[in-house]
């Protein structure tokens, strides 16, 4: 059943992405970046939205710079409590294992007792789960969840 869990998480992220598109259209003239959002997986909704700034951009770029490879498929468990969406100021190209992905957003999966994962989508909206080595503690402290 690992596929069902992965499909559910991707559906949740897609819902969050759709919600973000409607919110960002309203705020496009007010903020320099689309907001950073926190999606509670168990609740199935965005529970926090904060203004995006240069520090959030720096966090996301440090994660991208530390990508070590493609992640194996997620296992069927309930340890991923939050997914964080960080819209990027400009699209970035991520090169990993011979694949190039141009991403506009970075999704951080925070799972209990597991290494964090990044999720990015290519131009055709295909998902790529990535392993990375950067520390996420400063980001978690700034965002305030969990």
């Amino acid at each position: 059943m690992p596929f069902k869990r992965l499909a559910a998480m991707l559906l949740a992220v897609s819902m969050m992405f759709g919600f973000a598109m409607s919110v960002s259209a309203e705020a496009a003239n007010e903020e320099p970046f689309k907001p950073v959002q926190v999606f509670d997986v168990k609740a199935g909704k965005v529970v926090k939205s904060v203004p995006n700034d240069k520090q959030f951009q720096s966090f996301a770029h440090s994660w991208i710079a530390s990508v070590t490879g493609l992640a194996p498929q997620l296992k069927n468990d309930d340890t991923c409590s939050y997914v964080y969406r960080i819209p990027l100021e400009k699209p970035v190209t991520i090169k990993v294992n011979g694949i190039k992905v141009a991403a506009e957003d970075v999704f951080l999966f925070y799972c209990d007792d597991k290494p964090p994962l990044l999720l990015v989508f290519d131009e055709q909206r295909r998902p790529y789960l990535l392993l990375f080595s950067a520390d996420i503690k400063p980001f978690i402290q700034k965002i305030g969840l969990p």
Side-chain angles (χ1 to χ4, degrees):
M1 298 299 162
F3 179 74
K4 286 185 180 181
R5 180 68 179 159
L6 178 60
M9 292 185 80
L10 289 175
L11 177 63
V13 169
S14 295
M15 288 172 38
M16 184 171 81
F17 186 74
F19 173 77
M21 294 302 280
S22 65
V23 169
S24 64
E26 296 169 7
N29 296 328
E30 299 172 16
E31 297 179 14
F33 309 120
K34 297 175 192 171
V36 173
Q37 295 177 316
V38 181
F39 184 84
D40 184 321
V41 174
K42 291 184 183 186
K45 64 181 180 178
V46 173
V47 294
K48 188 171 189 177
S49 185
V50 298
N52 200 339
D53 62 21
K54 293 286 185 188
Q55 189 174 21
F56 282 125
Q57 295 295 301
S58 178
F59 291 143
H61 286 284
S62 72
W63 303 338
I64 291 166
S66 73
V67 167
T68 58
L70 294 172
Q73 192 171 9
L74 291 178
K75 294 181 180 175
N76 189 17
D77 61 37
D78 294 323
T79 62
C80 293
S81 49
Y82 295 102
V83 178
Y84 304 89
R85 177 182 182 257
I86 301 90
L88 301 173
E89 180 180 17
K90 296 184 271 186
V92 297
T93 300
I94 302 167
K95 298 175 187 174
V96 60
N97 296 9
I99 299 171
K100 288 184 183 181
V101 179
E104 296 180 5
D105 300 279
V106 174
F107 295 88
L108 172 67
F109 280 72
Y110 181 74
C111 308
D112 296 335
D113 302 321
K114 294 196 182 343
L117 297 172
L118 295 180
L119 172 67
V120 294
F121 292 93
D122 68 9
E123 297 86 8
Q124 289 81 35
R125 306 301 302 152
R126 290 181 297 215
Y128 292 89
L129 282 170
L130 307 172
L131 298 170
F132 68 103
S133 61
D135 184 14
I136 65 165
K137 289 178 186 169
F139 170 82
I140 298 296
Q141 289 173 340
K142 179 172 178 156
I143 198 79
L145 283 174

